[in-house]
Amino acid sequence: MLIWRGYGLLVLVVAFFAYLLAEMTMQAFSSRQLGSDPLAQLVGLLVSAACVWQVGRAFNRRIPAGQPRHSLFLVPMEHWAVLLVLFGFYKYFGQGA
């Protein structure tokens, strides 16, 4: 497919649930509302990036050479982790600007 190939759609699912779990865990130790703490958002995105990286590497490692890889918007699954990290730092450091 053009939008995702193989299990590439799992990027969204894994990232969402890992982010939600990390955010809720961080909020348990904070008095702020869910989604309003920039540090909790950063940690949530870093945890989701680590999960997406692991899932992407596990799926794409088994693909023989020449076969299409699991991807979302033509980007391999594990490379979405880099985008999540960059977005996390942008959200964290961009809050004060």
Side-chain angles (χ1 to χ4, degrees), residues 14-92:
V14 169
F16 174 75
F17 284 111
Y19 175 80
L20 189 65
L21 181 65
E23 174 98 16
M24 291 174 67
T25 303
M26 287 290 293
Q27 291 302 320
F29 301 107
S30 176
S31 61
R32 296 185 183 181
Q33 290 182 345
L34 188 67
S36 66
D37 188 8
L39 180 61
Q41 291 177 354
L42 175 64
V43 170
L45 285 167
L46 292 177
V47 168
S48 66
C51 292
V52 167
W53 175 266
Q54 292 297 321
V55 170
R57 292 293 292 166
F59 280 130
N60 284 329
R61 185 178 308 158
R62 298 182 190 131
I63 305 248
Q67 294 291 326
R69 302 174 73 173
H70 301 285
S71 61
L72 178 67
F73 293 115
L74 304 176
V75 177
M77 284 179 74
E78 62 269 18
H79 295 179
W80 277 97
V82 176
L83 296 173
L84 287 170
V85 168
L86 291 175
F87 183 66
F89 282 114
Y90 171 75
K91 290 272 296 174
Y92 182 72

